[in-house]
Amino acid sequence: MKKIVFLIVMLFGVKAAIAQFGLSAGISTLKSFTTPTPFFGFHFGGEIPRDDQLSFYGRATYYLKQMDKPINQLFVFSSDPSLPGKLINYQNSMDYFIIEGGNRYYIGNGYDAGFGAYGGGNMMFVFNTVKRNYDYGNVSQAQYPLPSTEFPKGSIFNLAVGVGGGLKYTASAVGTFYFDLSAAYMILSTANNTTAQGIVNTLYSPLIFNFSLGFRKDLY
């Protein structure tokens, strides 16, 4: 994942040396049909205009973890044979890290002047980290170790395609303020263990909606 981010940054860095280049950052929310409240996070990215009506962009967004509502239970045995087994509670949590890229077609005043609107398609690499948060009460995990079949953490890798659009205002010598939204569908998903698989239909959804608000500064 770090290598992918590094390659994207390097690509934009090389391109910035020979063309106009926009750096952007802001806040984001993510909503799906399975979560009652949205995920909140932040993003940063880059954009390269080919002309005033077309640009290519890349963005990395991290959404803070959210706790699942159901309280689950797990039976664990003590490392001391003289002590009885115990039921412990746990809740699942999950976050999002999204790397996306695509194109934008501008209407109105175009890429770097006044008011305008834009829309286009994108592709996303979506990474989910799933974690089980155990409540041991008045005993310790060292005293009641997890069974070998229990995985405290898991991950899901997804490939998604989507469409998006937004509005922007460019103030001369200041920069561009923008608001955009997108919808994406996971066309490929792979979970690495049963913990990650168990989050499906609770916090995880193959269809997601992203909303972002931010500021872009163009370099020449």
Side-chain angles (χ1 to χ4, degrees), residues 31-53:
K31 186 71 175 67
S32 70
F33 291 112
T34 57
T35 52
T37 57
F39 288 82
F40 293 94
F42 50 90
H43 68 267
F44 69 91
E47 190 168 358
I48 302 171
R50 195 183 75 174
D51 52 42
D52 203 37
Q53 280 73 47

Side-chain angles (χ1 to χ4, degrees), residues 70-78 84-92 132-137 139 141 144-152 194-195:
I71 303 296
N72 305 284
Q73 290 188 317
L74 175 70
F75 191 82
V76 291
F77 293 95
S78 173
K86 180 179 176 64
L87 274 175
I88 59 172
N89 297 328
Y90 69 87
Q91 278 183 286
N92 293 313
R132 289 186 172 178
N133 303 274
Y134 301 97
D135 180 9
Y136 275 84
V139 300
Q141 185 173 347
Y144 285 87
L146 296 173
S148 59
T149 55
E150 178 73 5
F151 300 100
T194 54
T195 295

Side-chain angles (χ1 to χ4, degrees), residues 122 140 162 173:
N122 59 55
S140 68

Side-chain angles (χ1 to χ4, degrees), residues 85-214:
K86 180 179 176 64
L87 274 175
I88 59 172
N89 297 328
Y90 69 87
Q91 278 183 286
N92 293 313
S93 65
M94 188 181 77
D95 63 6
Y96 278 88
F97 180 65
I98 300 176
I99 300 173
E100 65 178 285
N103 55 21
R104 288 172 174 162
Y105 295 92
Y106 283 84
I107 59 174
N109 288 318
Y111 173 82
D112 59 0
F115 286 100
Y118 54 88
N122 59 55
M123 178 173 288
M124 299 181 181
F125 296 102
V126 183
F127 304 88
N128 300 105
T129 299
V130 182
K131 183 179 179 181
R132 289 186 172 178
N133 303 274
Y134 301 97
D135 180 9
Y136 275 84
N138 58 357
V139 300
S140 68
Q141 185 173 347
Q143 190 176 17
Y144 285 87
L146 296 173
S148 59
T149 55
E150 178 73 5
F151 300 100
K153 292 184 179 181
S155 61
I156 308 173
F157 168 76
N158 311 272
L159 177 64
V161 293
V163 293
L167 300 172
K168 65 91 183 180
Y169 173 71
T170 302
S172 179
V174 176
T176 300
F177 301 90
Y178 60 86
F179 168 76
D180 57 52
L181 56 89
S182 65
Y185 186 78
M186 315 294 187
I187 59 174
L188 173 67
S189 297
T190 302
N192 73 331
N193 58 30
T194 54
T195 295
Q197 293 169 356
I199 206 73
V200 176
N201 298 324
T202 55
L203 290 177
Y204 176 88
S205 173
L207 179 62
I208 57 174
F209 300 91
N210 301 280
F211 306 85
S212 295
L213 177 68

